[in-house]
Amino acid sequence: MQLKKIQHFAMLIMICLTATACSVSQEETLDTVKQYFADYQVLSTSVNTEITDASFYLPSGFNIVEEVDYNVVLEKSGQTFVLFHNPLEGKMSDINLKRDREDKTNSLLFEEKQSSEAHSYLVVVPNKEEHLLVIVGVGGAKLSTITSYENLQNDVETMLEIVHSYDVE
């Protein structure tokens, strides 16, 4: 009987060690997101949502909760995303970037990318209890949310898609 308990205990320890070894670290997650941002290529997504003075692609599962002035509150599965936009600022504008640079010293990631079409940036700042504030900006539009390390990559991918599709009418 004692031998069976020892075997079960040993197996439990091996499972825990394997699970720990296989999990992706926070640093690896940040590195993956950083690389994804650097390599991101703008795809032509169909704009499917119109708001005052602008339009953008809203992925499946997202809903507009509220639109006030130049802010649009989006929601997906209980997670809130806030789109701040200034229709007077084009995709090459750095107006939001200048404001968000203030978080650079506190950030885990602060990345900028400029092409002939757009000036984009990504900011990841620690928030309370293992959560992260994520900001993705392109010109006069930026999208922010609170997320976890587990959802960071998927959220950044979706946020880039939304913000890069933003277009002023």
Side-chain angles (χ1 to χ4, degrees):
M1 189 67 144
Q2 186 69 17
L3 183 60
K4 279 195 171 210
K5 285 183 181 180
I6 291 172
Q7 287 175 333
H8 287 308
F9 183 71
M11 186 171 294
L12 181 62
I13 288 176
M14 287 179 55
I15 290 171
C16 289
L17 289 174
T18 303
T20 303
C22 293
S23 68
V24 178
S25 73
Q26 294 174 350
E27 187 174 315
E28 289 172 320
T29 300
L30 292 171
D31 287 344
T32 300
V33 168
K34 178 180 178 178
Q35 192 61 51
Y36 182 84
F37 177 77
D39 295 341
Y40 183 76
Q41 299 291 317
V42 178
L43 304 173
S44 75
T45 52
S46 300
V47 171
N48 61 3
T49 304
E50 292 187 20
I51 56 175
T52 306
D53 299 326
S55 58
F56 61 94
Y57 171 71
L58 190 64
S60 177
F62 277 79
N63 297 309
I64 294 179
V65 176
E66 183 177 12
E67 180 183 353
V68 180
D69 296 326
Y70 300 111
N71 300 309
V72 180
V73 179
L74 308 173
E75 186 268 338
K76 180 182 181 186
S77 302
Q79 183 177 0
T80 302
F81 295 78
V82 181
L83 174 65
F84 303 94
H85 67 100
N86 184 339
L88 300 176
E89 299 292 329
K91 290 188 183 255
M92 294 301 293
S93 173
D94 64 353
I95 190 167
N96 290 324
L97 173 62
K98 286 179 182 176
R99 289 184 193 140
D100 290 328
R101 268 198 186 116
E102 295 171 9
D103 287 330
K104 188 173 185 174
T105 56
N106 300 327
S107 67
L108 300 170
L109 264 182
F110 189 95
E111 299 296 317
E112 290 181 60
K113 187 166 94 172
Q114 190 164 357
S115 69
S116 59
E117 293 90 33
H119 193 169
S120 57
Y121 66 98
L122 166 68
V123 182
V124 178
V125 179
N127 202 277
K128 50 188 159 172
E129 297 181 24
E130 298 286 323
H131 284 89
L132 306 164
L133 167 64
V134 180
I135 303 169
V136 175
V138 176
K142 73 176 185 177
L143 189 60
S144 64
T145 193
I146 303 292
T147 193
S148 64
Y149 279 98
E150 292 79 25
N151 296 324
L152 180 62
Q153 183 171 350
N154 287 335
D155 287 344
V156 168
E157 290 173 11
T158 303
M159 293 168 76
L160 280 166
E161 193 172 24
I162 293 170
V163 174
H164 273 284
S165 73
Y166 174 83
D167 192 30
V168 177
E169 296 180 349

